[in-house]
Amino acid sequence: MGAAVRSEIESGRAAARALLSGARAGFGGVRPPDLPGAWTAFDEEVRRVHSRAYPPPSGTRLETRLCDPDGHVREAALRDPKAPLPLVAIRCADWVPAVRDLARQVLAGALAADPGRTLTALVPLVLRLGRREQGGWALELFDTALRAQEPVPAPWARPARPARWGRPARPARTLTGEVPDTVMAWLRRSGDLPVRRYAARLTLESGLFGVRELARRAAVESDPLTSRLWAEAAMAAMAAGGADGGADDEAIDTLLGGHVPMVRACGVTALRRAGRAAEAARHLTDRSALVRACARWAVKQAGGDPYALCRELVGDPERVSPYAVTGFAECAGRADAPLLRALLDHPAGAVRAAALAGLRPLEGPVDVERVLPLLDDPSAAVAREASLCLLSSAVRLDAAPLEARLGPDRPAHTRRAAFRLLRARGGAAALRASRALARDPDPALRALVRGPGG
């Protein structure tokens, strides 16, 4: 459970305890919950307090009566026209049929009276309630409203007004950048991940967007699951010939610039169908292993040699990059170890670290005399990779040189790498290292003694 979720739950619990103790709600008083997790926590906390208190609290607030353990109290509270809709939605999944049925009548009436505000306010909560035994009804109700042929306007939407009778034209008001501004447009831009994924699935079912728009949404989406939905839909549209005739190249270029590796991998894969497989070579140095693998496949499908291209990229020390070294190591063999070994003297620490990481699976027994000095490398990434290379040989290492690297005069990354090896070595040396690091001036290193990481 993340810190944001814990904070959301605690805010709901705190609001419930405050209202049950007689605190005033509203401006200057208890702030009502505003997030789905806070509302469900509020409901649970009211029942928990009632179950543990004797005599039970005699709160008269409408919010607490809607969560009362007594079904008769909850049913009576639902008849109040001011009942908060989030708690009404929770009661739609109530375990008492009479309470459940009444709550569903209230929610259906609210949706019919003001669909825009009801949907924007309750979709996040209803999605979570849908996992409950009786929670599917509200989700089906909202599904039907959102799948309607006529989209539901957003509550803040204002249509454009043409110039008339001397009045100037007025543009449409939109908060989502889409015209017309609809509830679905708001859901697609929601900061709540379950809501965004839900909206993406509904939009894809409707077939609203063409291949270019699908690719654009995949490229700008930061959530891997949602971006995958958009990207796969764009790939399917291109495989079917595309809905925007001749738009394949533009859609592919958009996918290639995506934030998420899965999206860029889709773009690289699509290069072959578009007759642009030769461009895949530019993606052999992508920061994602998935994209690099797709690029090697595309190059091979076009008749090229990805190994030769990767070797060429690392052959020039002036142009080599860390991801070029990593990509070469992924397709290299043991005979290529000398080329990677030569890069251990490269001036860029990231390149040295990538070369050392690439050597680890290629070489057999570790050359301790060559790797051990790399613990003193000024780059933290190199020191870390050196310690990982030596882990399998930790029991055979001399403890004295490693203990000397725990001194406060050594860089923090060197002390961390030495401690990792001493702890793997075990015995009295590991105990001495733990005692030394427990007094280290760096709090992050002191924490290593208590935790399993290193």
Side-chain angles (χ1 to χ4, degrees), residues 52-90:
R52 296 189 178 186
Y54 185 81
S58 56
T60 58
R61 293 288 311 179
L62 176 59
E63 294 87 347
T64 58
R65 286 189 285 118
L66 281 166
C67 307
D68 196 278
D70 189 337
H72 296 93
V73 175
R74 296 197 303 276
E75 184 179 6
L78 282 169
R79 301 186 187 280
D80 191 314
K82 296 182 180 180
L85 285 181
L87 292 176
V88 172
I90 293 176

Side-chain angles (χ1 to χ4, degrees), residues 203-388:
T203 303
L204 293 175
E205 289 177 13
S206 69
L208 177 65
F209 297 138
V211 64
R212 291 180 180 178
E213 182 63 18
L214 292 171
R216 187 191 71 79
R217 290 182 177 274
V220 301
E221 177 59 60
S222 58
D223 174 44
L225 181 58
T226 310
S227 65
R228 179 173 182 170
L229 292 173
W230 295 119
E232 289 180 345
M235 294 290 284
M238 285 189 281
D244 306 320
D248 282 24
D249 284 341
E250 183 175 338
I252 291 171
D253 292 337
T254 304
L255 291 174
L256 290 172
H259 294 301
V260 178
M262 178 67 186
V263 175
R264 299 198 301 277
C266 286
V268 172
T269 304
L271 287 172
R272 178 172 173 264
R273 178 178 284 113
R276 299 166 54 186
E279 299 178 28
R282 293 186 304 182
H283 302 278
L284 291 170
T285 59
D286 192 274
R287 59 186 181 274
S288 165
L290 174 63
V291 179
R292 293 194 299 268
C294 289
R296 289 195 294 271
W297 170 84
V299 168
K300 188 176 294 185
Q301 292 296 311
D305 185 359
Y307 166 78
L309 290 173
C310 290
R311 185 179 177 88
E312 181 182 350
L313 289 171
V314 300
D316 184 359
E318 299 297 326
R319 296 170 45 225
V320 68
S321 67
Y323 292 116
V325 176
T326 303
F328 173 65
E330 289 169 347
C331 58
R334 287 197 173 187
D336 299 300
L339 180 57
L340 290 174
R341 210 174 289 126
L343 292 173
L344 295 178
D345 298 323
H346 194 275
V351 172
R352 296 197 303 274
L356 194 53
L359 280 170
R360 203 187 320 150
L362 296 182
E363 292 187 326
V366 178
D367 185 352
V368 175
E369 297 299 324
R370 182 173 56 82
V371 177
L372 190 61
L374 295 177
L375 295 176
D376 303 315
D377 194 280
S379 168
V382 176
R384 180 180 184 278
E385 291 297 338
S387 67
L388 293 177

Side-chain angles (χ1 to χ4, degrees), residues 153-241:
W156 52 79
R158 184 183 66 186
R161 184 185 66 190
R164 188 179 181 186
W165 296 334
R167 292 185 305 181
R170 183 184 67 187
R173 180 174 64 185
T174 171
L175 298 184
T176 63
E178 298 184 28
V179 178
D181 206 351
T182 63
V183 170
M184 279 300 298
W186 178 86
L187 296 179
R188 286 192 292 266
R189 293 170 59 90
S190 173
D192 188 275
L193 286 184
V195 171
R196 215 154 70 233
R197 294 166 183 172
Y198 170 72
R201 292 189 179 97
L202 289 184
T203 303
L204 293 175
E205 289 177 13
S206 69
L208 177 65
F209 297 138
V211 64
R212 291 180 180 178
E213 182 63 18
L214 292 171
R216 187 191 71 79
R217 290 182 177 274
V220 301
E221 177 59 60
S222 58
D223 174 44
L225 181 58
T226 310
S227 65
R228 179 173 182 170
L229 292 173
W230 295 119
E232 289 180 345
M235 294 290 284
M238 285 189 281

